[in-house]
Amino acid sequence: MSHKGHSPFRSRPFVVATFAMTADGKVTTKKFGPVDFTSREDKLHLFRQRALADAVLLGHTSLERDNVRLGVPTELQELRIKRGQSRSPLRVIVSNKGRIDDRLKIFQSDISPIIIFSTKRMPRKNQEALRKTAILHLTDAREVDLAAMLETLRNQYKVRTLACEGGPTLFRALLERDLVDQLNLTIAPYMFGGGEAPTLTGLSKEFLPASVHCSLIEMRTVGDECFLRYRIKHQRRCRSRTRSPRND
């Protein structure tokens, strides 16, 4: 089911975040290394959520760690076409420093346009290399304004639904700005432990600016995994813009 009905009156896309975590709340190990602790069903679940969106968003740290193309399987491409969408969603990368390696797999794949939001701190050599395969939006500020990024995606690229796939630092930054509408969360039957392994909201010891209240929409179990879908309840307050995560 598409979420396009939610956003015609918005200045930004409907943002859906999809994550998997262990039973003790860890999304990866302390070294942020690639880990494979979920089932084939969870991987298909991620692809299905990605395929529903007009664009998929990933932070630079996660992109570098997982080295993914951000495509969707052929059968989901065909479903997208039947729904009147492009064959594959737009691919969006956010990075403050912009030191993005143009040899990553995503840049070797032309399945859909790649849009990079970064700053003019991006080294000139990276700008020159990335412009060959991606569209660059570089701000004069030291950090990317996430709210402005979403507005650009909505107004300039007609993105109504955005699938955020991490990492946890980017997810936290979006939460702090009240820019997440839905959370799809898979709980896997493992425990990692470790105070230095990131949780869903990263490694920060600070509380969020305000508690985020989630409303459970759906819960299902497949094997030993639990699949949860939450609607994020938005804060009724004056919100100042929050910039993108600092650790890239």
Side-chain angles (χ1 to χ4, degrees):
M1 177 181 174
S2 173
H3 306 288
K4 290 186 177 182
H6 293 281
S7 49
F9 306 106
R10 295 172 177 264
S11 61
R12 65 167 181 84
F14 186 86
V15 177
V16 181
T18 300
F19 280 90
M21 73 178 189
T22 62
D24 61 341
K26 306 300 184 180
V27 294
T28 184
T29 61
K30 70 176 184 178
K31 295 183 178 179
F32 284 74
V35 287
D36 188 8
F37 60 88
T38 63
S39 67
R40 181 175 180 272
E41 174 61 28
D42 177 64
K43 294 171 179 61
L44 290 173
H45 174 65
L46 178 67
F47 281 133
R48 287 193 290 265
Q49 298 305 314
R50 184 185 295 173
L52 286 172
D54 299 308
V56 56
L57 171 68
L58 200 61
H60 176 215
T61 301
S62 294
L63 176 67
E64 201 167 54
R65 180 191 71 205
D66 297 333
N67 199 10
V68 287
R69 293 184 176 86
L70 293 180
V72 295
T74 303
E75 60 270 23
L76 292 177
Q77 293 178 25
E78 299 303 327
L79 285 174
R80 285 177 59 84
I81 291 172
K82 288 179 181 178
R83 290 196 295 262
Q85 295 175 289
S86 59
R87 182 171 288 276
S88 297
L90 297 171
R91 296 170 291 172
V92 183
I93 304 165
V94 59
S95 170
N96 287 326
K97 296 178 182 176
R99 297 193 181 102
I100 303 171
D101 188 345
D102 66 296
R103 295 168 296 180
L104 290 169
K105 288 180 181 177
I106 191 170
F107 301 114
Q108 316 308 318
S109 167
D110 61 357
I111 53 174
S112 67
I114 300 168
I115 306 165
I116 298 174
F117 288 88
S118 188
T119 70
K120 291 183 179 175
R121 290 199 283 160
M122 178 185 284
R124 182 67 58 186
K125 64 177 183 179
N126 292 84
Q127 292 186 36
E128 292 172 357
L130 292 170
R131 285 188 197 280
K132 297 174 183 176
T133 52
I135 302 165
L136 303 187
H137 288 266
L138 304 181
T139 177
D140 289 319
R142 285 189 60 79
E143 297 173 351
V144 176
D145 184 320
L146 294 174
M149 176 189 77
L150 294 183
E151 289 174 10
T152 298
L153 289 173
R154 179 69 178 87
N155 298 326
Q156 192 166 329
Y157 296 97
K158 311 305 179 189
V159 174
R160 293 173 178 263
T161 304
L162 179 68
C164 174
E165 297 185 8
T169 308
L170 173 59
F171 177 62
R172 180 187 175 101
L174 290 166
L175 274 183
E176 287 176 345
R177 176 59 180 88
D178 201 16
L179 294 172
V180 182
D181 301 292
Q182 182 175 306
L183 171 63
N184 300 318
L185 182 62
T186 302
I187 301 177
Y190 296 94
M191 288 184 274
F192 289 172
E196 295 180 10
T199 69
L200 195 60
T201 52
L203 286 170
S204 175
K205 293 183 173 65
E206 301 296 323
F207 285 107
L208 290 168
S211 296
V212 177
H213 187 193
C214 305
S215 175
L216 184 65
I217 302 170
E218 179 186 12
M219 179 175 71
R220 64 187 177 94
T221 56
V222 180
D224 293 326
E225 289 177 330
C226 183
F227 294 83
L228 304 169
R229 184 154 60 102
Y230 291 103
R231 178 63 49 84
I232 305 296
K233 294 188 176 181
H234 292 292
Q235 306 293 331
R236 293 182 178 177
R237 56 186 169 81
C238 180
R239 293 168 288 187
S240 60
R241 284 182 171 174
T242 297
R243 293 166 179 166
S244 70
R246 298 177 181 274
N247 70 341
D248 70 341

